[in-house]
């Protein structure tokens, strides 16, 4: 969840309930606006070149000043567009999950949006009650606003804590600011707070009443506003509005402080306050409370929202602070929340209870990698010292800088009584314009599932602990969906009159595809670990949350253990690292075998036999007596449910063969489904739904929903899970096979071969500087064609980036971390233009391009035999192991399918084994039998 960050040279403070990272409280130290001997100016870094000439020059000798602090003539307000504002009707507002689903296609283009509730929805705020307002204290965290972007790495020998505290207290003089000195002195550098990690200095304790007074006093002094005791009685009687800075003026000053600081500015922020310990601004229902409290029952009440029907988090049994239990944020002018994404790429919902506006900035999830790249480029030394800097939520970078780097950034100004929604994988940041109070929590509509899968795979690579068990939520959601399918088949009435998960099923349903993806990954990992003994998990297995000792991956589906260390577990990827015992002495605990998981997939696809089998064997369901509806279905007859008209492009297929579960001749007949038959119940009423997986919404609006999950390969690298729309055949594209191309690709430059994990995969080698040209429908006028230039660019640590641009119009370009996504974007843009021109009655337009009409590998030329030969000639030593090992497998020994494993063939002494995209060398396996995070050094996710 968001946690705002910092502001001026004063010190209001913030603290999280997680005291371990905030440090000890200093109760009673109500700190005030203060100055100190100014710190030396940081050395020039790339972002400082963006300052206007002279704007950041020294204007003083370092002497303490108490005059004007606001510099309106040096405003750095970013020139960016606003994100959309949605105003649901009374009817739409009844179902928050349904409403989020409705606005998602538009909102995800911005990463963030504002939701203004109907005027009738004005919940009371319990925080304003006098006993709470004046008596309950909260801790704050100190934020140094001028150092959020411009600061030096902090690798210094720490001073004794007592000495630092003495130096700090010398500067607690209220109302003083300092100009930065023109000389670099050791005395000035000692002034900085280095006693704790930057951004986590613990502040004072305040009540809401005290913090409001403190925040108002700070803002008045900073901007030269009149305090309540300075306003003449005559003006009060005339109700004359006293001047105060506008949101635009505050925004311009905030970014001046961050981008071109001339003063030291500190504020406090009451962030990440656990509402279960502090209090929620919304009413909470208890067993003896008034059940008629409409606001206590409302699903927009953030205490209820995460577990609202339709949210995957409704199946989370633990009260996870900050995820399903809201956090409270008490801010003051300039207190900030720095660039970050939500844990597990969840949605977040923020509601402002009262106070002055909060300014937000959002970046679409599809551009997350671009933002990370821009941050590293402009703040190189901070990231060199701390590669996971973005996890800390303590670093800003101006939207103007991001915009100049090609990152789309959008603004939202949130007022009291309004919601702000952030979407999966969307980076966001912002600051407060004055004293205010907001509350935030996470939520997970079903379309979050593929993003969540991306997140846990990324966390596995980063060896980062998870907050929730993604597999458990996925499996529980699937079970509930099968339960509803069972009820539908058995003509049972739903307790809510709605089969909410019905539309997520079907062959092309989001939930079905999420399960397929996970089952395929699990099957591949088990195949690699064929020597293990497999046992079913016992009843005591779930008594404790299990995680891999090496990468902290959640072990809900399967776990590896050994008799030598019964309380130590590993995921299937790191089974070899668990201990020094032979593999055949270890064993794997599994929740379901692959055949059972195949049954679950078939059930979600709509096979009635599979629904019956899973419901009876795994859910313990029994058809109610007297219900003969299910018995009327001929279970021996092959049937097929209608697929949704919407191509749910959920993006994280991880190389899953989407055809694997349909029409597979290797499966029993009862699981084969043929075209042309739809099962409809004989009885139709309000409580009985037809077993058809086409939702009313998608039936009337057959458009594709874009939620591609572009998942970065840690924060250092680019990792993208292949989209399910790329591969629809039974096998991935194999460049070793003869390919008949519909398009003639002209090679312009074969480029230069690069050695590295991301510069090749099983499908091809991607030389740096590669350029090709091909003719395709024009994105400007689909009635004609134009030339497109396809290129492979060098993105440094991110590896290759792929770009497709219109020849002669380089500003019309599409850049992604895979060739497939580049050309998917071209196709989508062409379709958008076709629909746009159809709407105005233009004739001669082609039909909408189908999902399979274009393949990025083909359009780049990576499936063209002459181009393949040119590229292969760049690597005579066969250094691109993944590619060459796949070529060997195509002519001889069969290897597991894509994103499963590849065995290096050129180094018998230290072969490379890749499990689900994680590469581990044999040498590491031998050297890492005990828990040691250093084994991460040899791990890389495969860029697809």
């Amino acid at each position: 969840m968001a946690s705002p960050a910092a502001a001026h040279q004063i010190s209001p403070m913030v603290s999280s309930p997680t005291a371990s990272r905030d440090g000890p409280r200093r109760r009673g130290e109500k700190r005030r606006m203060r100055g100190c001997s100014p710190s030396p100016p940081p050395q020039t870094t790339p972002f400082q070149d963006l300052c206007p000439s002279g704007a950041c020059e020294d204007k003083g000798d370092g002497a303490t000043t108490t005059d004007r602090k606001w510099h309106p003539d040096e405003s750095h307000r970013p020139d960016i567009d606003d994100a959309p504002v949605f105003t649901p009707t009374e009817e739409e507002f009844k179902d928050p999950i349904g409403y989020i689903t409705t606005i998602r296609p538009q909102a995800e283009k911005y990463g963030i949006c504002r939701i203004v509730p109907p005027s009738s929805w004005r919940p009371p705020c319990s925080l304003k009650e006098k006993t709470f307002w004046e008596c309950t204290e909260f801790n704050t965290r100190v934020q140094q606003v001028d150092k959020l972007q411009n600061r030096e790495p902090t690798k210094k020998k720490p001073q004794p804590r007592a000495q630092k505290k003495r130096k700090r207290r010398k500067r607690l003089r209220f109302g003083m600011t300092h100009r930065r000195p023109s000389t670099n002195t050791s005395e000035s550098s000692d002034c900085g707070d280095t006693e704790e990690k930057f951004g986590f200095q613990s502040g004072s304790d305040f009540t809401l009443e005290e913090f409001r007074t403190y925040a108002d006093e700070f803002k008045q002094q900073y901007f030269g506003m009149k305090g309540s005791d300075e306003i003449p009685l005559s003006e009060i009687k005339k109700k004359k509005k006293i001047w105060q800075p506008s949101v635009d003026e505050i925004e311009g000053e905030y970014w001046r402080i961050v981008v071109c600081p001339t003063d030291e500015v500190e504020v406090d922020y009451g962030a990440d306050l656990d509402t279960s310990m502090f209090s929620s601004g919304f009413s909470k229902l208890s067993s003896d409370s008034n059940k008629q409290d409409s606001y206590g029952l409302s699903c927009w009440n953030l205490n209820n929202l995460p577990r609202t029907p339709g949210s995957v988090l409704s199946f989370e049994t633990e009260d996870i602070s900050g995820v399903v239990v809201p956090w409270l944020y008490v801010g003051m002018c300039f207190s900030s929340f720095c660039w970050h994404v939500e844990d597990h790429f969840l949605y977040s919902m923020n509601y402002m209870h009262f106070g002055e506006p909060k300014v937000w900035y959002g970046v679409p999830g599809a551009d997350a990698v671009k933002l990370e790249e821009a941050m590293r480029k402009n703040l190189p030394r901070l990231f060199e010292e701390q590669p996971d800097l973005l996890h800390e939520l303590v670093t800003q970078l101006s939207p103007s800088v991001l915009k100049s780097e090609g990152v789309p950034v959008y603004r939202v100004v949130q007022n009291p009584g309004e919601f702000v929604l952030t979407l999966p994988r969307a980076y966001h940041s912002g600051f407060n314009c004055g004293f205010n109070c907001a509350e935030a929590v996470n939520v997970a509509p079903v379309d979050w599932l593929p993003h969540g899968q991306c997140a846990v795979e990324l966390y596995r690579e980063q060896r980062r602990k998870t907050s929730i068990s993604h597999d458990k939520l996925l499996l529980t959601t699937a079970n509930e969906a099968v339960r509803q399918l069972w009820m539908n088949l058995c003509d049972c009435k739903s307790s809510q009159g709605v089969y909410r998960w019905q539309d997520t099923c079907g062959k092309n349903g989001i939930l079905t595809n999420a399960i397929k993806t996970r089952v395929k990954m699990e099957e591949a990992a088990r195949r690699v670990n064929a020597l293990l003994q497999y046992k079913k998990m016992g009843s005591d297995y779930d008594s404790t949350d299990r995680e891999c000792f090496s990468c902290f991956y959640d072990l809900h589906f399967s776990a590896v253990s050994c008799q030598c260390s019964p309380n130590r577990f590993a995921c299937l990827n790191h089974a070899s690292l668990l201990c020094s015992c032979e593999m055949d002495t270890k064993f794997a605990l599994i929740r379901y075998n692959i055949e059972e998981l195949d049954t679950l997939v078939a059930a979600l696809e709509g096979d009635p036999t599979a629904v019956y089998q899973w419901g009876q064997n795994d859910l313990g369901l029994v058809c109610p007596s007297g219900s003969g509806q299910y018995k009327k279905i001929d279970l021996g007859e092959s049937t097929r449910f209608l697929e949704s008209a919407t191509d749910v492009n959920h993006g994280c297929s991880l190389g899953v063969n989407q055809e694997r579960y349909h029409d597979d001749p290797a499966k029993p007949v009862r699981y084969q489904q043929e075209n042309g038959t739809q099962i409809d119940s004989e009885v139709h009423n309000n409580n009985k739904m037809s077993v058809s997986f086409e939702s009313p919404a998608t039936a009337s609006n057959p458009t594709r929903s874009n939620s591609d999950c572009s998942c970065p390969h840690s924060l250092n690298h680019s990792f993208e899970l292949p989209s399910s729309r790329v591969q629809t055949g039974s096998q991935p594209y194999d460049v070793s096979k003869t390919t008949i191309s519909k398009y003639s690709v002209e090679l312009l430059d074969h480029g230069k071969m690069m050695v590295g994990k991301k510069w090749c995969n099983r499908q091809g080698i991607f030389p740096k500087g590669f350029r090709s040209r091909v003719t395709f429908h024009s994105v400007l006028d689909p009635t004609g064609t134009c030339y497109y230039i396809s290129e492979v660019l060098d993105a440094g640590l991110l590896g290759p980036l792929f770009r497709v641009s219109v020849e002669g119009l380089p500003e019309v370009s599409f850049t992604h971390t895979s060739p497939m996504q580049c050309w998917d974007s071209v196709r989508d843009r062409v379709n958008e233009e076709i629909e746009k021109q159809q709407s105005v009655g233009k004739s001669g337009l082609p039909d909408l391009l189908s999902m399979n009409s274009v393949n990025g590998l083909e359009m780049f030329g990576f499936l063209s035999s002459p181009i393949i030969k040119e590229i292969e000639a760049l690597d005579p030593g066969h250094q691109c192991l993944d590619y060459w090992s796949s070529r060997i497998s195509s002519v001889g020994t069969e290897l597991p399918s894509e994103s499963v494993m590849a065995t290096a063939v050129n180094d018998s002494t230290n072969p490379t084994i890749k499990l689900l995209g994680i590469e581990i060398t044999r040498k590491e396996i031998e050297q890492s039998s005990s828990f040691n995070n250093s084994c991460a050094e040899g791990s890389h996710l495969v860029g697809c």
Side-chain angles (χ1 to χ4, degrees):
M1 282 182 5
S3 61
H8 245 82
Q9 188 166 317
I10 310 164
S11 74
M13 307 164 149
V14 181
S15 84
S16 165
T18 53
S20 61
R21 75 175 188 181
D22 285 340
R25 291 186 176 185
R26 294 196 287 266
R27 300 183 64 87
E29 266 188 63
K30 297 287 192 323
R31 299 185 297 168
R32 292 296 181 260
M33 189 168 179
R34 59 181 176 270
C36 79
S37 300
S39 300
Q43 300 176 16
T44 301
T45 49
F47 57 75
Q48 290 176 311
D49 296 335
L50 298 173
C51 281
S53 177
C56 295
E57 292 179 357
D58 263 331
K59 299 181 180 180
D61 57 0
T64 300
T65 64
T66 57
D67 57 0
R68 175 179 84 145
K69 306 162 195 68
W70 179 30
H71 302 276
D73 55 330
E74 298 175 11
S75 171
H76 273 64
R77 184 171 185 263
D79 180 17
I80 58 176
D81 294 330
D82 291 336
V85 180
F86 296 96
T87 54
T89 64
E90 296 277 359
E91 185 65 26
E92 291 172 331
F93 198 69
K94 292 179 180 179
D95 179 10
I97 302 300
Y99 188 69
I100 291 171
T101 302
T102 300
I103 66 175
R104 177 185 60 80
Q106 183 178 353
E108 69 184 355
K109 299 174 184 176
Y110 301 86
I112 191 171
C113 67
R114 180 160 57 109
I115 300 175
V116 181
S119 57
S120 60
W121 199 79
R122 288 293 177 265
C125 182
S126 58
L127 303 174
K128 292 183 176 180
E129 296 176 2
K130 184 175 180 180
T131 53
F132 189 92
W133 182 269
E134 297 180 355
C135 301
T136 304
E137 289 189 332
F138 61 93
N139 188 235
T140 58
R141 184 183 305 143
V142 182
Q143 296 184 326
Q144 298 168 274
V145 186
D146 58 298
K147 294 184 179 179
L148 293 178
Q149 177 173 295
N150 288 270
R151 67 178 184 272
E152 290 296 297
T154 57
K155 288 186 176 178
K156 302 176 182 178
K157 183 178 180 180
Q159 298 174 334
R161 187 176 181 83
Q163 180 182 351
K164 291 176 192 171
K165 293 179 78 172
R166 284 197 298 272
K167 286 191 175 185
R168 185 170 184 78
R169 285 171 182 152
K170 289 179 181 179
R171 49 188 283 218
L172 303 188
R173 296 179 57 197
F174 186 82
M176 296 189 177
T177 61
H178 290 270
R179 293 290 181 180
R180 294 188 179 277
S182 56
T183 58
N184 195 349
T185 63
S186 59
E187 289 79 11
S188 62
S189 64
D190 286 342
C191 171
D193 282 351
T194 57
E195 62 208 57
E196 294 171 293
K197 184 161 54 173
F198 177 80
F200 294 99
Q201 297 92 338
S202 182
S204 302
D205 292 350
F206 291 88
T207 64
L208 287 170
E209 175 66 23
E210 292 170 337
F211 195 75
R212 181 185 65 175
T213 301
Y214 180 37
D216 289 348
E217 194 173 42
F218 162 67
K219 187 173 179 180
Q220 290 163 13
Q221 291 206 13
Y222 191 90
F223 288 98
M225 300 162 55
K226 292 181 180 179
S228 57
D229 56 345
E230 300 176 277
I231 303 174
L233 183 61
S234 59
E235 292 184 359
I236 296 176
K237 289 182 178 180
K238 292 178 183 178
K239 297 183 179 179
K240 185 176 180 179
K241 187 175 181 180
I242 306 302
W243 175 87
Q244 61 177 341
S246 66
V247 171
D248 289 356
E249 289 172 324
I250 297 172
E251 183 183 24
E253 178 65 7
Y254 173 79
W255 287 110
R256 182 197 71 80
I257 299 167
V258 173
V259 175
C260 290
T262 53
D263 301 323
E264 292 182 343
V265 181
E266 264 187 16
V267 296
D268 286 12
Y269 192 30
D272 302 349
L273 302 174
D274 189 337
T275 56
S276 65
M277 300 171 62
F278 185 61
S279 181
S280 170
F282 292 99
S283 56
K284 293 183 178 181
L285 292 178
S286 58
S287 56
D288 58 348
S289 63
N290 182 3
K291 300 299 183 182
Q292 302 304 312
D293 179 3
S294 60
Y295 291 112
L297 293 168
S298 172
C299 291
W300 289 91
N301 179 327
L302 297 193
N303 295 299
N304 305 328
L305 180 63
R307 292 191 169 109
T308 296
S311 170
V312 175
L313 288 176
S314 63
F315 302 112
E316 178 55 61
T317 57
E318 300 294 327
D319 289 334
I320 304 171
S321 176
V323 177
V324 295
V325 176
W327 276 355
L328 206 67
Y329 299 88
V330 184
M332 63 177 288
C333 187
F334 300 142
S335 59
S336 315
F337 47 107
C338 297
W339 288 112
H340 69 287
V341 292
E342 299 299 306
D343 284 351
H344 289 263
F345 301 166
L346 288 158
Y347 285 80
S348 76
M349 186 74 80
N350 183 293
Y351 179 79
M352 183 180 287
H353 290 291
F354 55 81
E356 299 188 55
K358 187 189 296 282
V359 179
W360 295 71
Y361 304 97
V363 171
D367 296 286
V369 174
K370 285 185 181 179
L371 179 140
E372 291 163 2
E373 181 185 0
M375 295 281 282
R376 293 184 178 283
K377 176 182 176 182
N378 287 276
L379 305 170
R381 288 190 290 172
L382 292 181
F383 279 90
E384 285 172 8
E385 178 188 59
Q386 193 174 0
D388 63 345
L389 184 62
L390 284 172
H391 296 165
E392 299 292 341
L393 286 72
V394 294
T395 306
Q396 289 285 49
L397 186 64
S398 169
S400 299
V401 178
L402 292 172
K403 184 178 177 181
S404 71
E405 296 286 353
V407 181
V409 188
Y410 301 95
R411 176 193 295 108
V412 162
V413 178
Q414 181 187 20
N415 300 298
E418 298 177 346
F419 292 94
V420 167
L421 176 72
T422 69
L423 285 90
R425 193 66 181 95
Y427 272 94
H428 49 283
S429 70
F431 68 94
N432 299 293
C433 293
F435 173 70
N436 60 23
C437 180
E439 192 166 340
V441 79
N442 291 121
V443 65
V446 71
D447 61 81
W448 161 79
L449 282 171
H451 299 284
Q453 189 68 60
C454 288
V456 293
E457 295 306 313
L458 174 63
Y459 290 178
R460 183 207 292 267
E461 151 67 6
Q462 295 175 339
R463 279 148 169 81
R464 180 178 170 188
K465 285 182 174 287
T466 59
S467 302
I468 58 179
S469 171
H470 182 87
D471 283 345
K472 185 176 182 181
L473 290 178
L474 179 62
L475 198 55
T476 308
T477 305
N479 281 335
E480 179 59 26
V482 174
R483 185 187 305 275
Q484 292 183 6
L485 295 176
W486 169 287
M487 294 172 67
N488 189 40
L489 288 173
C490 292
D491 199 15
C492 301
K493 291 185 178 181
S494 168
S495 60
Q496 298 178 344
V498 175
Y499 291 88
R500 182 172 288 272
W501 297 103
Q502 178 113 346
D503 292 335
T504 69
C505 302
K507 284 188 177 181
N508 208 31
I510 296 178
L511 177 57
T512 307
N513 282 333
I515 287 287
K516 285 180 186 177
T517 296
R518 187 65 185 91
V519 171
K520 181 69 175 181
M521 293 169 60
E522 187 71 12
E523 181 182 23
R526 294 184 190 182
R527 191 186 309 153
V528 171
N529 291 280
L531 293 179
L532 290 174
Q533 305 175 48
Y534 285 84
K535 303 178 182 179
K536 279 297 187 84
M537 293 175 178
S539 57
D540 62 336
Y541 180 82
D542 291 327
S543 61
T544 305
D545 290 336
R546 314 285 182 177
E547 62 184 15
C548 176
F549 83 100
S550 177
C551 66
F552 305 113
Y553 196 83
D554 176 67
L555 303 179
H556 187 73
F557 260 56
S558 57
V560 178
S561 188
C562 185
Q563 293 181 356
C564 74
S565 50
N567 296 319
R568 183 182 174 93
F569 296 90
C571 66
L572 290 171
N573 282 24
H574 296 120
S576 298
L577 305 179
L578 180 65
C579 61
S580 58
C581 300
E582 295 295 328
M583 286 293 288
D584 56 5
T585 65
K586 301 174 186 178
F587 59 91
L589 298 170
I590 59 173
R591 192 169 297 275
Y592 296 106
N593 60 40
I594 296 301
E595 290 72 22
E596 291 170 323
L597 293 175
D598 283 347
T599 301
L600 174 59
V601 171
L604 293 174
E605 287 187 326
D607 187 292
T609 304
V611 172
Y612 177 79
Q613 183 174 341
W614 189 268
Q616 184 181 56
N617 297 343
D618 294 274
L619 304 181
L621 300 178
V622 178
C623 241
S625 58
S627 174
Q629 188 66 39
Y630 180 81
K631 296 177 182 178
K632 294 179 182 179
I633 299 176
D634 184 354
L635 300 182
E637 185 177 342
S638 299
T639 56
R640 179 181 183 270
F641 288 81
L642 286 183
E643 297 179 16
S644 169
T646 299
D647 167 24
V648 184
N649 182 21
H650 65 291
C652 283
S653 69
L654 289 164
V656 174
N657 169 14
Q658 301 298 331
E659 300 289 328
R660 176 175 180 271
Y661 296 103
H662 329 320
D663 308 321
D664 186 348
K667 275 191 175 179
V669 174
R670 64 178 182 276
Y671 290 108
Q672 296 183 30
Q673 299 173 341
E674 299 173 354
N675 296 335
T677 304
Q678 175 186 0
I679 295 180
D680 281 310
S681 302
E682 295 180 2
V683 180
H684 297 273
N685 54 54
N686 292 334
N687 292 310
K688 176 69 172 66
M689 296 180 64
S690 168
V691 188
S692 170
F693 296 111
E694 180 174 25
S695 71
T698 58
S700 60
N701 184 26
T703 59
R704 188 169 49 75
S705 171
N706 280 325
S707 58
D708 292 349
C709 188
S710 180
C711 188
H713 167 67
S714 82
L715 293 174
N716 295 316
H717 308 289
S718 172
F719 170 50
E720 176 200 335
L721 300 174
S723 171
S724 59
R725 57 184 173 172
V726 174
Q727 299 174 10
T728 56
S730 60
Q731 293 295 335
Y733 286 95
D734 189 341
V735 296
S736 65
K737 297 178 181 179
T738 303
T739 303
I740 301 176
S741 175
K742 295 182 293 183
Y743 303 96
S744 177
V745 183
E746 176 188 357
L747 178 64
L748 301 179
D749 189 339
H750 55 56
K752 175 184 177 182
M753 196 272 292
M754 302 287 285
V755 178
K757 187 70 229 160
K758 296 173 290 300
W759 291 95
C760 74
N761 62 19
R762 292 172 58 85
Q763 296 170 327
I765 299 172
F766 311 120
K768 171 184 173 181
F770 174 91
R771 295 176 73 249
S772 64
R773 182 167 63 177
V774 69
T775 303
F776 191 65
H777 299 279
S778 172
V779 295
L780 304 178
D781 181 9
T783 60
T785 61
C786 68
Y787 282 114
Y788 290 86
I789 304 298
S790 301
E791 303 173 85
V792 180
L793 309 175
D794 186 357
L797 291 175
L798 292 174
L801 282 179
F802 300 84
R803 182 171 67 191
V804 176
S805 57
V806 176
E807 187 175 48
L809 293 172
E811 64 274 15
V812 182
S813 64
F814 308 85
T815 303
H816 286 284
T817 51
S818 81
M820 288 79 80
Q821 276 201 324
C822 283
W823 277 98
D824 284 349
S825 297
V826 174
R827 180 202 60 213
D828 293 346
R829 181 69 65 84
V830 171
N831 280 340
E832 289 174 8
E833 191 63 27
I834 292 173
E835 290 176 334
K836 178 181 176 181
Q837 296 189 21
Q838 283 176 343
S839 67
V840 297
K842 185 171 181 178
S843 60
L845 292 165
D847 294 335
L848 289 176
L849 304 178
S850 69
M851 183 178 67
N852 301 324
S853 62
V854 63
N855 171 260
L857 291 171
E858 177 185 0
M859 301 303 283
F860 263 75
F862 295 137
L863 300 183
S864 165
S865 296
I867 294 178
I868 291 172
K869 290 179 181 179
E870 290 265 0
I871 295 175
E872 287 181 343
L874 299 176
D875 187 19
H878 291 192
Q879 297 181 69
C880 296
L881 300 181
D882 278 357
Y883 175 76
W884 291 108
S885 62
S886 70
R887 295 299 303 273
I888 291 173
S889 69
S890 68
V891 298
T893 306
E894 179 181 358
L895 293 179
S897 60
E898 183 186 12
S899 48
V900 179
M901 71 171 257
T903 303
V905 296
N906 70 333
D907 185 356
S908 61
T909 61
N910 189 28
T912 300
I913 298 177
K914 184 174 60 179
L915 311 178
L916 290 180
I918 302 295
E919 181 182 275
I920 302 175
T921 64
R922 180 69 61 188
K923 186 179 298 182
E924 285 181 305
I925 295 174
E926 295 171 353
Q927 295 176 350
S928 304
S929 59
S930 61
F931 179 75
N932 186 342
N933 280 339
S934 65
C935 65
E937 295 174 1
S939 301
H940 299 285
L941 285 174
V942 178
C944 300

